[in-house]
Structures are given as structure tokens and as C-alpha cells.
Amino acid sequence: MLLLLTILAGGCVHAPQSLIALSDSSTDDLSLVARIAEDRERPIVLRGLDGVPLQSLRVPNALGEYAYVVNSGRHVLWLKNMPYAHPLMPQRIRCYKMQADLEKGMRYLLREEADTKRALLLKKETGETVSIGELVDEPLVFVRECKWQ
């Protein structure tokens, strides 16, 4: 019985945040880079940085947190929303392009406002809007991927 309780309690513990370095950024000193996380409540996922598509797709979830580590400065972010998982209903993917000036040591949060079709980049600590992404494409799910250019 004690073993079962230990396993159940251990299953509720969150894993430490994973850091994913993009471009030539480093995770050695986080005060020198910006960190971008994706909101789990209103998810929008980072799919490219400065015209280069990301190699893998990560999805925000409650079991593990992650953040992208990016050098400070001006960047172009390619973003897309997370459509609901119902294959029989026609759905569209919303694709956004955003320019953002990222500051050293700052933590950011990506969020979608689905009703206004906007992507937002917020300062994680204050919720202040840093940048707003514009809708650039809206393909049907299962037909094609986003076209950002």
C-alpha cells in the first residue's frame, strides 16, 4: 500500500523546465538570453525563428514545462494555433508572423486570442504585451501546412 501511495504522489510532481536553445543561443547563463514559453491555457506554438523552421513540434502540456532560449535582439517568429482534435469537422489552422525585440534575461509567454485572431507575446512576469502577430495564412487541417512567406 505504501509503495502505491509513493508512486501516485511521485506521479504528481512536475519535471523541471526543459530549455531548448535556438540558433546559436546558450543555456549556460540565462541572464544573457531571452526565454519564450507557450501558454497552456490558450496555446499557440512556435514553428520557426528568423525564417528557419523548427525541427520538432512540442505541445504545451501539464506534465512538463519547457522554454525556448533565444539570443536578445529583433527576431521574426512563425506561430500556429493548436486546432481541436476532431477529424470529422472541417478546421482551419491559424498561422501568424510576429516581429519582436527580445531583451536579455526576460521571460516571455506566447498566447493566442482566438476570437480576434491575434498572437500575443507577453512579458511573463507582468503580462504586458510586447508584440502582436498578424494572421498570414489559414489553411484547412490535413490539406497543407502554414505558408509564412
Side-chain angles (χ1 to χ4, degrees):
M1 183 65 162
L2 182 60
L3 178 63
L4 179 61
L5 289 174
T6 304
I7 291 170
L8 289 174
C12 296
V13 175
H14 291 286
Q17 185 180 53
S18 299
L19 298 175
I20 304 148
L22 298 180
S23 298
D24 59 349
S25 60
S26 172
T27 59
D28 294 339
D29 186 353
L30 297 179
S31 67
L32 300 176
V33 292
R35 287 183 277 172
I36 302 173
E38 298 162 342
D39 190 348
R40 287 184 290 205
E41 302 300 316
R42 293 184 258 166
I44 188 159
V45 293
L46 181 64
R47 296 305 306 132
L49 179 71
D50 299 328
V52 178
L54 298 186
Q55 296 302 315
S56 64
L57 174 64
R58 293 185 181 254
V59 178
N61 64 70
L63 300 177
E65 290 187 26
Y66 61 91
Y68 295 103
V69 176
V70 180
N71 288 325
S72 61
R74 179 162 281 231
H75 293 281
V76 175
L77 309 178
W78 290 352
L79 310 162
K80 79 177 201 176
N81 75 321
M82 296 293 300
Y84 48 89
H86 196 294
L88 300 178
M89 295 186 71
Q91 305 173 60
R92 292 192 173 274
I93 303 168
R94 288 184 296 278
C95 312
Y96 301 93
K97 192 173 185 180
M98 175 187 292
Q99 284 196 1
D101 291 312
L102 304 177
E103 299 175 30
K104 289 181 184 180
M106 188 62 61
R107 294 175 2 147
Y108 297 97
L109 184 67
L110 286 170
R111 175 179 291 163
E112 182 189 31
E113 283 188 345
D115 54 337
T116 59
K117 294 184 178 181
R118 297 186 322 165
L120 303 176
L121 182 67
L122 311 170
K123 288 187 177 179
K124 193 165 187 175
E125 284 75 19
T126 64
E128 174 189 348
T129 301
V130 174
S131 185
I132 299 173
E134 62 180 81
L135 183 68
V136 294
D137 193 17
E138 209 169 0
L140 285 168
V141 175
F142 303 123
V143 173
R144 66 175 171 84
E145 273 295 313
C146 294
K147 290 183 181 177
W148 285 282
Q149 297 183 19

